[in-house]
Amino acid sequence: RSRGLGDVYKRQVIEGIGDKQIHMKELVKKLKNKLACGGTISGNNIELQGNHKTKVMSALVEAGFSPETIEIK
């Protein structure tokens, strides 16, 4: 899900990963490198700086997630 931060900045929020058997720090690092952006872990969510709606699915599939389990909003 994309959320606006003011008028200029966007961030991509990836939800629903915290309940899986995933090492969140490693996943955030991979996503930040793949998408060339900043990001952080916030609770059970991953927040990436920028609008990566079109790229995040392929990055998650590359990280090992099944395409059928990914929903882009």
Side-chain angles (χ1 to χ4, degrees):
R1 165 173 54 155
S2 293
R3 291 189 191 165
L5 292 175
D7 292 334
V8 180
Y9 301 105
K10 295 278 185 192
R11 63 182 169 157
Q12 193 70 44
V13 179
I14 302 171
E15 302 173 319
I17 292 181
D19 56 342
K20 309 283 188 272
Q21 295 297 322
I22 301 286
H23 193 328
M24 294 283 280
K25 285 185 179 183
E26 285 183 25
L27 180 58
V28 152
K29 186 175 180 177
K30 286 180 186 179
L31 290 172
K32 287 173 23 178
N33 285 333
K34 174 75 174 170
L35 301 172
C37 67
T40 189
I41 299 169
S42 176
N44 288 335
N45 300 330
I46 295 175
E47 296 182 7
L48 300 172
Q49 294 174 347
N51 186 2
H52 302 286
K53 216 173 213 184
T54 57
K55 299 176 187 174
V56 76
M57 182 161 184
S58 63
L60 288 171
V61 169
E62 191 175 294
F65 290 88
S66 172
E68 295 83 29
T69 63
I70 300 170
E71 180 182 336
I72 306 291
K73 294 182 183 179

